[in-house]
Amino acid sequence: MRLLESTTNFPEVGAKDQYLACAHCENLVDIAATHPILLRVVYDDLEDGVTETMHFCSGDCRTHWKRESGVDVDD
């Protein structure tokens, strides 16, 4: 597994998909606004990478999630 840390926004998202739960605290995240993310790349048995985007409502939530999950990501 590999994690990449960044911030992003999705300005073209439709209204029904605009809000997602924070990966840590489950507060709503407006993904049309800039917010912190982690990209988790997991490799299957054939070494094909699958990328999952985890959205966070704040940098603090991302930090808490990383600490509780025992992962270390370079900023």
Side-chain angles (χ1 to χ4, degrees):
M1 177 175 63
R2 194 172 112 203
L3 290 172
L4 305 170
E5 191 169 309
S6 187
T7 57
T8 193
N9 66 356
F10 298 91
E12 302 299 323
V13 70
K16 72 176 187 163
D17 299 318
Q18 184 173 351
Y19 297 95
L20 297 175
C22 174
H24 176 68
C25 71
E26 298 186 7
N27 284 336
L28 289 180
V29 178
D30 179 354
I31 64 170
T34 301
H35 61 284
I37 63 168
L38 283 176
L39 298 174
R40 180 168 36 191
V41 182
V42 180
Y43 295 92
D44 63 15
D45 293 337
L46 301 174
E47 307 250 347
D48 292 328
V50 177
T51 302
E52 175 186 32
T53 304
M54 298 171 15
H55 301 268
F56 297 89
C57 63
S58 69
D60 286 342
C61 267
R62 180 173 59 189
T63 299
H64 287 290
W65 182 90
K66 288 175 7 187
R67 187 176 302 123
E68 290 174 7
S69 298
V71 297
D72 186 28
V73 177
D74 292 335
D75 292 337

